[in-house]
Amino acid sequence: MLILFVLGLFLVSPFLQMILRAINGLDNQPLVVTSGYVQYYQRTIQNIHILARFTAILVLCWLIIYRIMCKRSGKTRTKDFQWNEFLVKLLPMFLFLLFALSIALVTIIRGPNEYDLTGHPYMFESVYSYISYPLVFFFCGMMLFQEKHRKILLYALLFTSLPINILALINEWGTRILLFSDADVCGVCAVFHNSNHYGYYLAITIITAALMSVYERITWLKVFSAVCGGIATIVLIINNTLGAYLAVLFVFVLFILYSFLLAKENKKQSLIVMGGYLFITVVMSFRYATILSSFVTLFGDLGLIISDPLEADSAGSSRWMLWKGTVQHIPESPFLGFGVEGLLNPYGVGTPHNEFLQYAVFFGIQTSLLYIIACLVILYRVFKNCQKLDRTTMICFFVCIGYLASSFFGVAIYYTTPLIYIFLGMTYAEYLHISV
């Protein structure tokens, strides 16, 4: 119950932030680093982190005590429990431990920079944040062996995302919502600081809602999930985060292939999900040219990069310039990195808007590789055994793919990064528990 509480607290944190803004009178403020909008959200997530870390320590202590008690009572001698098999299954956790250890070691050897220990004032992620993400959120998510517990968290996400997304539409089409950030300044971002950050949240919500509408057997929950997904899709198109939109599209294509070739069920529903996504896109294009214009810009940017990669700095909303600058500097410190936002002040190169590059430039290539390998091991093992696993596990599996795909064009930031670790944990939980 404690794990459900702390993980659920993070999943519903955007809704919680909206309520806390209303209670504390935080409305109609400018969106700057020193604003109440930003600082109050940072304090909220910081408090959730404290609770989550306490929970992880408590759960770990309980597991150790439980194992000692089982050993003394002779329960560990049963044929059903094989230590060798269990340790092999724990490989992703060991990889994430090495990931955390790598961050700690390179920071000690290199020496902390100005943001390593406190985090950038806006991004608000220190080395302690990056270390605790897998050790806390993945670890706790991995403990949710039962489908009903994972389902509670998925519906917690949907039930709290719906009012935010409805209010975002009201803010766009009707009355200004003072609790939200000004759309004229930052685009459609609701309680988030940036439209791209809202886009990551919307992508996760859309994938969860769409697949829950396919797998849910209770009629009203099936309809509710479909409504959640449809409204979130409308907001995402207005939001115009192309990376998140393409990530959702990619997941729906994979889900169709999965339904037809592996699961061999819900074939019609998988096509309906894709059709609904594209239908909303076409209908919304009559009023908003955002996504279609972004596609045109994308192909133009690709042509620009191919024709002259050295002079294509404006491509991908200047992401190409950030990627190019990051890759150019990584060889200067390939294994120690430059620390949190280490290229910002010396070279004027900010977060590269690619989480894999971000880990490499902050903490060294080996740290990024450990993160990638851990994610791949989890996804490969679950995919390989997908026919033995429940549907909630597969929903979390596809959400992970969606997040990782969008992270090619996104940034790790304090109020969205734990999402991937929570969903990776929930994806792996059943595999860790069952005999395969």
Side-chain angles (χ1 to χ4, degrees), residues 130-150:
Y130 290 107
I131 289 171
S132 68
Y133 288 154
L135 302 187
V136 172
F137 291 102
F138 174 74
F139 173 72
C140 288
M142 199 171 61
M143 295 294 106
L144 298 178
F145 303 138
Q146 297 186 40
E147 182 180 18
K148 64 180 181 181
H149 294 152
R150 297 191 296 274

Side-chain angles (χ1 to χ4, degrees), residues 9 26 37 84 108 113 184 212 224 239 259 281 317 384 387:
L9 203 57
L26 295 175
Y37 276 158
N84 292 339
I108 293 171
N113 69 14
D184 294 333
M212 289 294 277
F224 170 79
N239 171 274
S259 299
T281 301
S317 301
K384 185 179 178 181
Q387 294 181 331

